[in-house]
Amino acid sequence: MNRRSFLKKSLGSLFTLLGLSGGTFYYAKDVEPILLHVNKNTVESSKIPKAFDQFKIVQFSDTHIGFHYTLEQLKELVTKINGLQADLIVFTGDLVDEPQNFHWDNTIIDILKELQATKGKFWIYGNHDHGGYGTEVVYNVMEKAGFQLLQNNSVSIKLKDAAFNLAGIDDLMLGKPNINQTLAQVNTNLFTVLLAHEPDFADKAKNHPIDMQLSGHSHGGQIRFPFIGHLYSPAYAENYVQGKYTLNEGRFQLFVSSGIGTTRLPFRFLCKPEINMYTLKSKV
């Protein structure tokens, strides 16, 4: 750890201790984690066909159900997402916090099944999905809920006589990611969206024919302070933690969702949970 990182983490820990010991503790634990908001972005590109102008992609990520996030809250999330009238819904990983300890039944399937999108629902594995022997059980739940897995592969999203590519890579930490396999069937002339749980994969993805990457994993840091920023982010979410980043002189756009739930610590401070909506715009 370099001096700057050490000072940042030391000051952050001190502020956390002082701030969360008072009324802020209640806010960070019981208020902000339920202040779900919709983060809206417009994505403009000359590669987006006119047929997809105003096409809406809704992303949700990192629900971590079971760790201070309930199935009742998931129901509310589904209602809010359906209210956005998405054309396409994507889930970018970490459905439950501890798959090995979660009580799996049809309830979670029935809730996720209610999500509606005209052009389908897709998902990728996160590290918590593979962890705790969850790989197969999470797959079965998402499959029964009407989600299609993207695991080192891609699909073509078609509308009228136009299309764009939607690709998904396996989790970096506990999966077997293979970007060449992922893009093997991609038409490089089309606009390409990559789902990658860990945002730092963008440093590799930017060297491939990808226009936009959607990620989660970081939780936006969960706890943030003015002038300091986030106190901690997990591996593979250290370079890109929250919000929008542009690479390759603007040709590659990365969006990092702050996610829905929490993990490790049941707090959010200056880092509200979010649904992300991306409205495509054809650039003439």
Side-chain angles (χ1 to χ4, degrees):
M1 184 183 298
N2 60 36
R3 182 173 181 271
R4 182 179 179 184
S5 296
F6 175 78
L7 289 173
K8 178 178 178 180
K9 291 182 182 297
S10 297
L11 284 171
S13 298
L14 176 62
F15 287 160
T16 302
L17 180 64
L18 294 175
L20 298 186
S21 63
T24 312
F25 177 90
Y26 169 75
Y27 172 81
K29 184 176 184 295
D30 296 320
V31 178
E32 187 163 308
I34 62 172
L35 296 180
L36 180 65
H37 79 290
V38 180
N39 187 343
K40 298 180 180 180
N41 291 274
T42 298
V43 179
E44 188 174 9
S45 172
S46 58
K47 293 177 69 176
I48 296 174
K50 289 187 180 296
F52 285 97
D53 200 60
Q54 302 305 308
F55 187 91
K56 291 187 292 187
I57 301 173
V58 171
Q59 173 199 15
F60 70 109
S61 191
D62 298 273
T63 45
H64 286 268
I65 300 165
F67 185 80
H68 299 268
Y69 192 81
T70 67
L71 292 176
E72 283 300 318
Q73 287 175 290
L74 183 64
K75 287 181 183 179
E76 295 172 4
L77 174 67
V78 166
T79 298
K80 189 144 190 171
I81 291 176
N82 281 338
L84 297 174
Q85 297 182 314
D87 295 297
L88 186 75
I89 292 175
V90 297
F91 175 66
T92 45
D94 286 359
L95 180 64
V96 305
D97 198 64
E98 296 181 336
Q100 74 275 26
N101 295 323
F102 187 73
H103 176 66
W104 296 98
D105 59 22
N106 289 334
T107 305
I108 190 170
I109 297 171
D110 293 339
I111 295 171
L112 291 171
K113 196 181 289 185
E114 292 298 316
L115 283 168
Q116 301 294 323
T118 57
K119 289 297 177 179
K121 305 183 293 188
F122 297 85
W123 75 288
I124 57 170
Y125 281 111
N127 55 301
H128 281 257
D129 301 314
H130 277 314
Y133 307 101
T135 302
E136 290 300 322
V137 67
V138 176
Y139 172 81
N140 289 332
V141 164
M142 297 300 282
E143 185 80 3
K144 290 176 181 177
F147 279 78
Q148 181 176 338
L149 174 64
L150 295 176
Q151 186 180 20
N152 297 331
N153 64 312
S154 66
V155 294
S156 180
I157 306 299
K158 299 177 180 179
L159 189 60
K160 298 179 180 178
D161 59 348
F164 73 86
N165 303 310
L166 179 66
I169 195 161
D170 200 3
D171 178 69
L172 270 65
M173 298 178 71
L174 298 177
K176 296 179 180 179
N178 185 323
I179 188 61
N180 292 324
Q181 179 182 329
T182 301
L183 301 175
Q185 303 301 319
V186 160
N187 180 345
T188 57
N189 294 319
L190 299 180
F191 186 77
T192 300
V193 179
L194 175 71
L195 308 182
H197 182 65
E198 289 87 355
D200 286 0
F201 186 73
D203 287 330
K204 289 186 178 180
K206 68 180 182 180
N207 299 319
H208 295 268
I210 296 167
D211 302 284
M212 175 181 174
Q213 177 179 314
L214 304 183
S215 297
H217 186 55
S218 69
H219 296 236
Q222 275 193 200
I223 299 172
R224 305 179 67 91
F225 284 98
F227 309 112
I228 294 177
H230 66 281
L231 304 185
Y232 166 82
S233 61
Y236 300 105
E238 297 167 305
N239 298 330
Y240 310 105
V241 180
Q242 183 187 60
K244 178 183 177 180
Y245 301 85
T246 56
L247 293 78
N248 289 356
E249 299 179 343
R251 295 189 300 276
F252 182 102
Q253 297 184 70
L254 165 66
F255 294 90
V256 185
S257 173
S258 292
I260 303 296
T262 58
T263 189
R264 295 178 183 267
L265 294 172
F267 305 117
R268 278 188 179 268
F269 187 70
L270 301 183
C271 188
K272 295 177 182 177
E274 64 181 16
I275 301 165
N276 303 81
M277 185 168 77
Y278 310 95
T279 303
L280 303 186
K281 185 176 181 180
S282 179
K283 185 178 181 180
V284 179

